Amino acid sequence: QLQASGGGLVQAGGSLRLACVPSTRTISDYDMAWFRQAPGKERQFLAASRRGGRGTYHADSVRGRFTISRDGAKNTLYLQMNSLEPEDTAVYYCAATTKGLITSSIRILGAYDFWGQGTLVTVSS
């Protein structure tokens, strides 16, 4: 349902932009989010974008460095990541739901029905 791309190897201080494209519907049908999972750790919420311009949300841990956005014309969700640190090394996942999310649920994994396959980001020191 979701195809994520854009991961790779980058040096500390560098930038990457991740992309996520739904395969069967348009992004206007979804509330969407980015999560990541580092080895041996739980999947962590990073940012969310609610459809129809209802707002974006960023985890405190990445606010100011990561920015979520969506481009309807390209049917793509993005995560711009700047000032990357070795601690950002993880598999990054996009997620989506057709249900309208309330603010209190946007950080919850179970609130999302569809997940991408993940894209690996490795930040070297």
Side-chain angles (χ1 to χ4, degrees):
Q1 290 268 4
L2 302 173
Q3 184 69 39
S5 62
L9 175 63
V10 63
Q11 288 189 329
S15 298
L16 282 175
R17 188 175 73 163
L18 306 182
C20 177
V21 180
S23 59
T24 60
R25 304 180 74 153
T26 66
I27 60 171
S28 62
D29 292 334
Y30 297 112
D31 288 353
M32 302 183 76
W34 289 98
F35 291 76
R36 70 184 178 189
Q37 189 165 18
K41 296 188 176 181
E42 295 184 348
R43 197 165 295 190
Q44 175 191 20
F45 168 81
L46 298 175
S49 169
R50 294 168 66 178
R51 80 196 81 178
R54 294 188 183 93
T56 59
Y57 307 85
H58 296 82
D60 290 344
S61 60
V62 299
R63 186 175 293 118
R65 295 194 302 127
F66 292 8
T67 303
I68 192 171
S69 64
R70 57 170 76 199
D71 185 332
K74 296 183 178 180
N75 199 37
T76 302
L77 178 77
Y78 296 105
L79 184 68
Q80 178 66 45
M81 305 187 296
N82 299 326
S83 302
L84 284 162
E85 305 165 352
E87 293 74 21
D88 296 316
T89 295
V91 178
Y92 285 68
Y93 298 91
C94 60
T97 179
T98 56
K99 300 187 297 288
L101 294 175
I102 59 175
T103 304
S104 61
S105 64
I106 59 171
R107 293 170 173 80
I108 300 173
L109 274 70
Y112 298 89
D113 303 309
F114 308 106
W115 291 83
Q117 82 286 6
T119 185
L120 177 62
V121 172
T122 303
V123 184
S124 62
S125 58

